Amino acid sequence: MANTTNDAQVMLRMHDIHKSFGELAVLKGIDIEVRRGEVLAIIGPSGSGKSTLLRCINKLETIDSGSIEIEGEFLADTNEHGVAEYADLKKSRELLSHTGMVFQQFNLFPHMTVIENLIEAPMQVKSMKKAEILPYARELLAKVGLSDRADYYPSQLSGGQQQRVAIARALCMQPDIMLFDEPTSALDPELTGEVLKTMRELAAERMTMVVVTHEMAFAREAASQVIFMADGNIVEQGDPETFFNRPQEERTKAFLKNML
Ligand SMILES: Nc1ncnc2c1ncn2[C@@H]1O[C@H](COP(=O)(O)OP(=O)(O)OP(=O)(O)O)[C@@H](O)[C@H]1O
Ligand SMILES: [Mg+2]
């Protein structure tokens, strides 16, 4: 039932997120909202908290206070003592199964072939039968242009190919929201293009995506909103056209000047 109400559905909402590592405050009150089919690009200097923010979405890190809603349900919310409280394990797992993540360093299982990498989580986590998931896994491999590499091991692939396998693997769990943490920054420049192409195609299919990236051209073309983070705060945010052509804040201007 794809109607306008559904299209406007908030897939992810984070409100007033605070997170410290010991004495170091890394996230200082972050608010984001991502609707169905939107691509949120997060940019900013090293150490600004981008990865931490992304990792908080799927509970690889926990927040100190604030709230995280996934498709309208609370993964975490601040209690009366001002401390974040998480949904119970069963509920958290259910909500997190809506998300898929792709890391800078691919993180494929080295002892498994490409196709085995794809079907492992659906079989283990969703208890799907091999015969049940295999056709879908093959479809995804075709989609990322690697049908002919199904039986290769990760070490036999280029970095760009490995990253496309990692994307197909995340998609094999049928997530509603894809999270990418600098998916191309470990790649040689000539290999980033093929990964960005796959991501552009996903965006064109209206996959909801949160992408931490240094690829300004990708953010400009594929994102629906861009956020610039520095020192644990959102300094500036907007639609790509406004953000890149008419940035308001000095820090944003300086950062963008450096990136070009
Ligand atoms: N597990 C951790 N323990 C302690 N400090 C951490 C941990 N993870 C991150 N930090 C610190 O938090 C700050 C933000 O790190 P984060 O990785 O989120 O930055 P980033 O914006 O992703 O940077 P980059 O662009 O280099 O990837 C940094 O100062 C980092 O050293
Ligand atoms: Mg990072």
Side-chain angles (χ1 to χ4, degrees), residues 42-166:
I42 302 175
I43 65 175
S46 184
S48 56
K50 306 180 298 296
S51 295
T52 305
L53 180 66
L54 205 64
R55 292 166 61 81
C56 286
I57 298 171
N58 65 356
K59 222 181 158 193
L60 291 174
E61 300 287 359
T62 53
I63 58 173
D64 300 331
S65 66
S67 64
I68 304 174
E69 279 169 79
I70 296 176
E71 296 182 44
E73 298 198 73
F74 282 95
L75 172 67
D77 197 5
T78 304
N79 67 16
E80 68 272 27
H81 307 294
V83 178
E85 226 169 72
Y86 279 80
D88 63 37
L89 212 54
K90 183 162 174 280
K91 186 74 198 169
S92 304
R93 281 216 187 102
E94 196 265 308
L95 292 178
L96 295 180
S97 74
H98 295 287
T99 70
M101 181 137 172
V102 175
F103 300 88
Q104 185 173 342
Q105 294 295 344
F106 330 140
N107 295 358
L108 296 173
F109 306 119
H111 58 291
M112 290 183 190
T113 63
V114 164
I115 197 77
E116 285 167 353
N117 264 279
L118 263 66
I119 66 176
E120 176 68 9
M123 285 169 57
Q124 296 300 330
V125 181
K126 289 188 169 174
S127 307
M128 291 179 79
K129 296 263 181 300
K130 192 170 177 177
E132 200 181 348
I133 190 65
L134 213 46
Y136 186 56
R138 291 201 185 281
E139 205 178 292
L140 289 173
L141 269 192
K143 187 189 171 90
V144 300
L146 291 171
S147 291
D148 55 343
R149 296 289 190 274
D151 300 318
Y152 282 54
Y153 285 89
S155 61
Q156 299 170 314
L157 302 176
S158 73
Q161 290 170 335
Q162 289 186 55
Q163 192 59 302
R164 284 183 285 150
V165 172

